Every structure is written in C-alpha cells, then in structure tokens.
Amino acid sequence: MLIQNVLVGPEVKKLEKTIDANFLSDSTFVGRASGRSMEDVGIFDGDVLIIDRAKIVKNYDIIVACLNGQFVCKVADLKNNLLLSASSDHSPVKLTKFDQYNIEGVVTQSIRMHRANLTLG
C-alpha cells in the first residue's frame, strides 16, 4: 500500500517566503517530505523539497508525482514503469493503465530542517 509521503498545499506554500530566492524560480514549488522511504538518498522526514516542473524527467530522477490522489516522492524507473523507494523496506510500485498518475516535477534540492519551523505546522 502506498501512502502520501509529500505534503504540499497552503501551509507549505507559506514556506516559500522564507527560502532564499536563488533556490526558487517560476517553475518551482516546495513540498515537505513525510516518512522514511527516501532516507537512503538523503531525504528525511520533515525535509523541505524544491521541486522543478520545468525539468525533463530522466531515468532514476527523484520526482514528486500525484498517484491516485496522493502526492509521493519516489525514484522514477522510466524503463520499467516503476516508482521506487530509496529503502528496501518499501516495495516498488508498478504503474498500470488503471492508475491516475501525473509527474509534478523533479526534486532538485532538499533542505534539512534542524530546528522546528512553525510555518510548517
């Protein structure tokens, strides 16, 4: 079972005002990682993700996608039509014609939050 592991929306959007403008462009948005499935690539629970919609997705890029109504951060295995977690504790997700799937963008950076940020709730 795949559950949402990226938070986006109004609460996270407020965070854009606290991030250096050099990290952001017209094609970027921010999300917040939730869970432990991407720790082996250095994305930890609570990290802020900079996601670029203008980037062309390449095989094994880290992406944020909307899968069946849930935002997920995964590794894109384009050749095998899979979404991979960076942890062996989570099985790959095989995309089928029955899935509602849309890539939202490529994760270009992640920011570790060492101190709680009240903006994020």
Side-chain angles (χ1 to χ4, degrees), residues 6-16 29-32 71:
V6 178
L7 305 175
V8 296
E11 305 84 33
V12 178
K13 184 133 181 84
K14 293 176 193 173
L15 183 63
E16 289 179 358
F29 67 102
V30 298
R32 182 175 155 202
F71 284 100

Side-chain angles (χ1 to χ4, degrees), residues 18-25 28-30 50-52 108-111:
T18 67
I19 295 176
D20 187 313
N22 292 318
F23 289 108
L24 303 174
S25 70
T28 59
F29 67 102
V30 298
I50 308 294
I51 304 144
D52 193 336
T108 56
Q109 292 137 7
S110 62
I111 302 169

